[in-house]
Amino acid sequence: MEKEKRSYLKLATFFWVCIIIPVSLFVLLMFSAANSWFGFEPLPVVDDLVNLKSNLATEVYTADGEVLGKYFYQNRVNVDYDAISPFMIEALVSTEDERYYNHSGIDLEGLARAIFYLGKKGGASTITQQLAKMLFSGVPKSALGRLGQKVQEWIISAQLERLYTKDEIVAMYLNRYDFVNNAVGIKSAAQVYFGIVPDRLKIEESAMLVGMLKNSSLFNPLRRPDTVKHRRNVVLGQMLKNEKISQQEFDSLRLLPLTISYSKVDYKDGIAPYFREVLRAELKNIFNEKDQDGLPVLRKPNGEAYDLYSDGLKIYTTLNYKMQEYAEYAVKEHLSYQLQDDFFRGLAKKKNNPFSSDLSSSEVERIMNAAIKRSERFLIMSGMQCANCGRRGKILTEGIVDGELMTVCNAEDCEHQTKRYGEEEIMKSFDVPVSMKVFSWRGDIDTMLSPRDSIRYYKSFLQAGLMSMEPQTGYIRTWVGGIDYDNFAYDHVRQGKRQVGSTFKPFIYATAIEAGFSPCYEVPNVPYIFKKGTFGLLKDWAPENSDGEYGYNVTLRYGLATSMNTITSWVMKQFGPEAAVKMAQDLGITSDLPPVPSLALGVSDVSVYEMVGAFGTFANKGVYTKPQFLARIENKEGEIIVEYIPESREVLSEENAYVMLKLMEGVTSYNYNNDLKKNTPGTGIRLRFSKSEERPYAGIPYPVAGKTGTTQNNSDGWFIGITPDLVTGVWVGAEDRSVRFDYTSLGQGANTALPMWGYFMNKVYADSTLQVSKGDFEKPETHISIELDCKKYGTPTDFGTGSRGGVDWAQ
């Protein structure tokens, strides 16, 4: 009896120890994991599983459907299952989860094998479990914590299998996986490593990406190509084993190299970098805008503001991808082909290279010190900018580390520390040569240079801004804000403003055309004096022509075409600076315009953005349409959040706008002078010359109205050209106005800016897919009452609408 009792106790003990207690502990573990007991991380609620959150990159599109760039915390854009190559799916299932389509999230057979062999013959983690694992933010520090997380993964896996189809789970898993090198998700990975979309992935490419799933940091194709190739072949072996490929395919595929076509993901890289930065700032302002109740004007259904970097928005812009490529080509081609070399040769002769010889040593020192204190090196060393993330402002604080004064970045994603220096020590460091890489049009140069000398070097480069706009809609088609974003990040389309010179003159002439003057109206070419005391002048002022020639009559058309200061001054004198300011403002100029006589010569600083918008009015039948680069914004589901409608207003009559176009066509053609009995070319005539080695940008035979501009001392060169459906403005100049050409023959807008317009438009005209008009400007349907053909008249006639008109020499 005693023996039987002992046997019973042993059996009961065995039962409790080996079955009841483990099962109870397992049940307790399950409940603890499910209910977040004993410090377990809370499980995602069902709603979170239905709407899995992830940092989705915002994509920017051009008007012709090309991806212009992305804004992101993680470079991730989700794709549907159908948009993924079937080879990718087959490689994934063959390698990661052979029984994927036969279990409900937990592979019991694999689990038993893993327990029995202690993981030596493979793990038991299914694709669903791996997706579930991605939902946890941290890694448990203890074995018990990891066991609890494993249980939580089982629970989540079961929920995922109940909520989603197998195909959806595969797509979610591949969309969330980080393939390193800023390639988060299968779409980014296909683009970054192979330059293609996911549905075009080949077998060997799919196998490489699936191989990375084991550990993308270890199997990084950029760092360990041989290791990755071996891992890829393991995946190919799994596909062979699961009969997804044949032995013959395996034998040939395993010998192939990785054939990576790596595309670095950097917000500064790619097309239209200046525009993308302007757009980023504009979008941040849009999403930060609040209504009267303090709520975001554009908000998600839950009332939260949209996050530009994580909500997967789609931004549709008005830019045209091909035109943008042509515009960037035009800027680079002209500057690198000849203009910058001409500029360097001229600067080399100056004692204060690159600054004008007119500047004193103290003035040069002041300019250089100001540039030094704006430099990234100075800002970092002085503690005003984080050396790691580039942030500035209150997020940076002082701290003492190991007895040294440090700048501490308090951003959660940075927390970088940099030694802080005093200003005297910093300024000394700018005179010590260091190894650096500097920009050149023929490729970056490795050199030894002091930071101070590198600033001088960079100041010797000509900068440029180019913008094109469709005048009927205001849609901006191109935006080139500078010559190289990495080295010169300042935008010269909208942010930068420079003196516009003679490109302002059409606004002055428009006041005369509005008053009924004909382009054929004749004015004596003599200096016109603005008397002391008028218009606030402290002394007499009489603008002179650049060529110093006077003494004959010219038409208004001739005066504008040849950019004669005397004729513009005469028009200004008739109507006054206030009328000129009002006309310019009506045409869309928002920069400060002082009502002074010198405005006739374009002394005010205005942006390319404003000037192109204003000139667009002439091509749009007198209707000003505000330049616009945003078309619409969609959320990640493709629903339109906001759509942008062009803003417009009538400024000129259709007839007067057409007259202005005809007047400005004189700039790019020959103009007959009755007094001189000869044709004189407009300042933009070189566009009409035949193409040659000297002028590869020329040879444009189609109707073009426009205006060149050159400012005092050749600091700025402009050209704005108008065609029936495209207005393009170009500015060229150095960062500092004291860095300039010595000779107008080189520094004038016809030599610096106009060729870029020619390069650009030649490309545009040659591309038939763009369908840019080569025809003439559309005439008003009504009769034109103003005479446009100045050759019809040999002598002055009475002033009046439709007449050639004239001014008595006595005036």
Side-chain angles (χ1 to χ4, degrees):
M1 188 70 179
E2 187 66 28
K3 188 177 181 179
E4 290 179 359
K5 186 175 181 180
R6 282 198 301 271
S7 297
Y8 173 78
L9 287 173
K10 285 181 180 180
L11 182 63
T13 300
F14 175 82
F15 182 78
W16 275 94
V17 171
C18 296
I19 298 176
I20 298 298
I21 292 177
V23 169
S24 299
L25 288 174
F26 181 76
V27 171
L28 178 62
L29 186 63
M30 292 284 285
F31 269 94
S32 299
N35 294 283
S36 305
W37 295 348
F38 307 120
F40 285 120
E41 186 174 334
L43 283 173
V45 297
V46 174
D47 286 345
D48 288 340
L49 294 176
V50 172
N51 303 293
L52 280 175
K53 293 182 178 179
S54 60
N55 288 328
L56 294 178
T58 289
E59 291 186 301
V60 180
Y61 290 89
T62 59
D64 45 338
E66 297 288 339
V67 176
L68 194 61
K70 300 176 184 177
Y71 305 121
F72 54 84
Y73 296 125
Q74 294 179 318
N75 183 26
R76 174 194 285 130
V77 178
N78 286 348
V79 294
D80 294 331
Y81 178 87
D82 293 337
I84 302 173
S85 167
F87 300 131
M88 187 74 192
I89 308 300
E90 291 170 353
L92 173 66
V93 174
S94 298
T95 307
E96 296 294 322
D97 194 352
E98 293 175 318
R99 286 174 293 279
Y100 176 67
Y101 293 104
N102 299 317
H103 63 65
S104 297
I106 303 172
D107 182 5
L108 296 178
E109 181 180 337
L111 180 62
R113 183 193 65 236
I115 293 173
F116 187 80
Y117 291 103
L118 300 177
K120 293 179 180 179
K121 290 194 175 183
S125 186
T126 66
I127 292 173
T128 314
Q129 285 177 258
Q130 291 179 49
L131 173 60
K133 186 178 180 180
M134 292 180 187
L135 301 178
F136 292 94
S137 57
V139 178
K141 297 180 180 179
S142 65
L144 180 62
R146 179 68 193 110
L147 178 61
Q149 190 181 83
K150 196 66 172 177
V151 173
Q152 288 184 314
E153 288 172 15
W154 292 341
I155 296 170
I156 295 172
S157 297
Q159 291 178 326
L160 287 171
E161 292 275 347
R162 179 169 53 85
L163 293 168
Y164 297 101
T165 67
K166 290 286 188 180
D167 291 351
E168 289 172 331
I169 290 172
V170 165
M172 283 192 289
Y173 174 60
L174 292 176
N175 280 326
R176 294 181 72 92
Y177 190 81
D178 187 348
F179 290 89
V180 300
N181 298 310
N182 259 332
V184 183
I186 186 61
K187 182 175 181 180
S188 294
Q191 177 61 46
V192 168
Y193 293 116
F194 302 110
I196 56 177
V197 290
D199 62 359
R200 292 178 57 195
L201 286 166
K202 300 175 183 176
I203 297 174
E204 67 273 19
E205 294 167 340
S206 299
M208 189 202 87
L209 293 177
V210 168
M212 293 176 69
L213 297 174
K214 185 175 179 70
N215 183 337
S216 56
S217 295
L218 175 63
F219 298 104
N220 184 335
L222 302 186
R223 294 187 174 184
R224 303 180 184 87
D226 292 339
T227 304
V228 173
K229 182 180 178 182
H230 175 75
R231 176 62 185 165
R232 180 203 68 181
N233 290 346
V234 170
V235 175
L236 291 172
Q238 286 296 111
M239 295 181 75
L240 174 64
K241 173 187 171 184
N242 287 274
E243 301 180 350
K244 301 302 181 184
I245 58 174
S246 65
Q247 183 67 50
Q248 184 179 1
E249 286 176 309
F250 173 77
D251 291 339
S252 62
L253 290 172
R254 71 185 181 86
L255 299 176
L256 293 175
L258 292 181
T259 62
I260 291 174
S261 178
Y262 176 63
S263 302
K264 181 183 177 183
V265 178
D266 189 320
Y267 76 94
K268 294 184 290 186
D269 292 339
I271 200 168
Y274 293 91
F275 171 74
R276 285 185 277 118
E277 277 307 293
V278 170
L279 177 63
R280 183 205 299 267
E282 185 79 10
L283 291 170
K284 289 176 75 172
N285 289 335
I286 289 171
F287 295 139
N288 288 333
E289 188 179 354
K290 300 288 195 300
D291 63 18
Q292 58 185 8
D293 298 320
L295 297 173
V297 173
L298 294 182
R299 53 183 180 268
K300 293 182 275 190
N302 63 4
E304 294 179 356
Y306 284 99
D307 190 321
L308 177 62
Y309 304 99
S310 65
D311 279 334
L313 303 172
K314 288 181 171 54
I315 312 296
Y316 291 90
T317 71
T318 63
L319 260 65
N320 180 281
Y321 196 91
K322 282 188 176 181
M323 284 190 185
Q324 181 67 25
E325 285 187 316
Y326 298 153
E328 293 184 9
Y329 155 82
V331 171
K332 180 178 180 181
E333 188 68 11
H334 185 46
L335 284 172
S336 62
Y337 176 74
Q338 183 176 4
L339 191 65
Q340 185 64 53
D341 287 344
D342 290 342
F343 198 50
F344 280 149
R345 280 191 289 271
L347 296 181
K349 300 174 184 177
K350 299 184 178 183
K351 64 177 183 180
N352 287 328
N353 182 9
F355 303 101
S356 169
S357 301
D358 298 337
L359 263 63
S360 65
S361 297
S362 60
E363 288 175 313
V364 171
E365 187 68 17
R366 178 182 56 79
I367 293 172
M368 287 297 299
N369 285 340
I372 286 172
K373 292 181 179 180
R374 290 195 304 267
S375 70
E376 185 176 72
R377 179 186 294 267
F378 185 94
L379 294 173
I380 290 172
M381 293 182 73
S382 62
M384 290 187 282
Q385 178 175 320
C386 176
N388 183 49
C389 69
R391 288 184 174 91
R392 301 178 187 179
K394 295 181 180 179
I395 202 163
L396 304 178
T397 56
E398 288 184 3
I400 304 295
V401 180
D402 296 331
E404 290 191 305
L405 181 63
M406 307 289 283
T407 297
V408 180
C409 180
N410 296 297
E412 291 183 4
D413 60 344
C414 182
E415 299 180 348
H416 187 75
Q417 298 177 349
T418 310
K419 184 177 178 181
R420 181 177 291 197
Y421 298 86
E423 183 170 326
E424 184 178 350
E425 193 174 1
I426 296 173
M427 296 302 284
K428 286 181 180 179
S429 75
F430 270 79
D431 293 317
V432 179
V434 294
S435 177
M436 64 174 66
K437 184 175 289 187
V438 296
F439 167 80
S440 87
W441 279 113
R442 291 165 179 80
D444 289 348
I445 301 171
D446 291 308
T447 186
M448 287 288 293
L449 209 61
S450 74
R452 182 184 295 273
D453 285 341
S454 74
I455 291 175
R456 275 184 176 265
Y457 172 73
Y458 279 119
K459 283 186 176 295
S460 67
F461 279 90
L462 288 169
Q463 304 298 320
L466 183 155
M467 187 185 109
S468 299
M469 184 192 79
E470 189 178 274
Q472 291 77 20
T473 60
Y475 290 167
I476 295 172
R477 298 306 189 192
T478 71
W479 186 301
V480 185
I483 63 172
D484 182 82
Y485 189 82
D486 281 340
N487 295 288
F488 309 97
Y490 190 76
D491 172 62
H492 291 287
V493 169
R494 193 167 76 170
Q495 185 179 4
K497 296 183 179 185
R498 294 290 283 259
Q499 282 192 357
V500 290
S502 294
T503 51
F504 197 87
K505 288 178 179 176
F507 308 152
I508 309 297
Y509 279 73
T511 61
I513 299 302
E514 276 286 278
F517 281 75
S518 164
C520 302
Y521 188 83
E522 287 197 341
V523 178
N525 174 25
V526 294
Y528 292 92
I529 301 173
F530 292 84
K531 296 291 186 180
K532 175 183 176 181
T534 60
F535 309 117
L537 290 175
L538 299 178
K539 61 180 181 178
D540 289 354
W541 182 67
E544 299 177 347
N545 292 330
S546 60
D547 59 9
E549 291 188 6
Y550 309 97
Y552 49 87
N553 286 341
V554 300
T555 62
L556 293 182
R557 174 187 165 106
Y558 188 98
L560 182 63
T562 56
S563 205
M564 299 174 76
N565 292 336
T566 53
I567 309 307
T568 311
S569 299
W570 179 86
V571 178
M572 171 68 88
K573 200 169 184 182
Q574 309 312 302
F575 301 99
E578 294 284 358
V581 169
K582 183 179 186 307
M583 175 60 71
Q585 290 174 340
D586 288 346
L587 290 168
I589 303 300
T590 57
S591 294
D592 182 49
L593 300 175
V596 294
S598 58
L599 192 61
L601 308 187
V603 295
S604 290
D605 289 354
V606 183
S607 68
V608 174
Y609 173 89
E610 294 170 82
M611 292 298 288
V612 172
F615 272 64
T617 308
F618 304 129
N620 193 31
K621 302 180 179 181
V623 176
Y624 168 75
T625 304
K626 185 178 180 181
Q628 173 180 325
F629 53 73
L630 271 173
R632 69 182 187 279
I633 302 174
E634 296 180 358
N635 62 20
K636 62 183 178 182
E637 282 81 27
E639 300 167 340
I640 296 177
I641 300 172
V642 61
E643 196 162 12
Y644 293 91
I645 307 299
E647 300 177 29
S648 61
R649 62 176 179 267
E650 185 175 344
V651 180
L652 304 172
S653 69
E654 183 179 351
E655 178 181 2
N656 287 339
Y658 182 75
V659 170
M660 282 299 301
L661 290 173
K662 291 293 141 180
L663 199 155
M664 286 188 286
E665 278 187 316
V667 173
T668 61
S669 61
Y670 285 92
N671 302 269
Y672 186 75
N673 183 277
N674 288 308
D675 278 15
L676 299 177
K677 304 299 180 185
K678 69 175 184 178
N679 277 316
T680 302
T683 55
I685 195 62
R686 60 181 74 188
L687 284 175
R688 305 302 192 185
F689 294 160
S690 298
K691 275 190 181 182
S692 63
E693 185 176 343
E694 184 182 356
R695 296 188 182 91
Y697 55 83
I700 293 178
Y702 312 112
V704 176
K707 188 68 191 78
T708 57
T710 310
T711 60
Q712 189 176 19
N713 297 324
N714 308 308
S715 294
D716 306 277
W718 290 80
F719 181 70
I720 301 176
I722 307 173
T723 69
D725 47 16
L726 199 65
V727 180
T728 303
V730 185
W731 165 86
V732 176
E735 176 187 316
D736 289 272
R737 300 176 202 232
S738 57
V739 180
R740 53 183 182 250
F741 280 107
D742 282 334
Y743 302 103
T744 302
S745 59
L746 293 174
Q748 62 179 311
N751 187 64
T752 59
L754 178 143
M756 290 182 190
W757 192 94
Y759 279 119
F760 171 65
M761 289 304 298
N762 269 307
K763 284 280 191 182
V764 169
Y765 283 134
D767 191 336
S768 59
T769 64
L770 295 176
Q771 298 182 330
V772 169
S773 172
K774 298 177 182 179
D776 205 344
F777 296 100
E778 184 182 348
K779 286 185 178 181
E781 293 183 0
T782 57
H783 173 69
I784 299 175
S785 59
I786 298 175
E787 181 57 62
L788 300 176
D789 186 1
C790 302
K791 291 182 181 180
K792 288 183 178 181
Y793 301 93
T795 57
T797 61
D798 293 335
F799 169 75
T801 301
S803 72
R804 177 166 171 252
V807 176
D808 191 287
W809 278 92
Q811 286 188 304

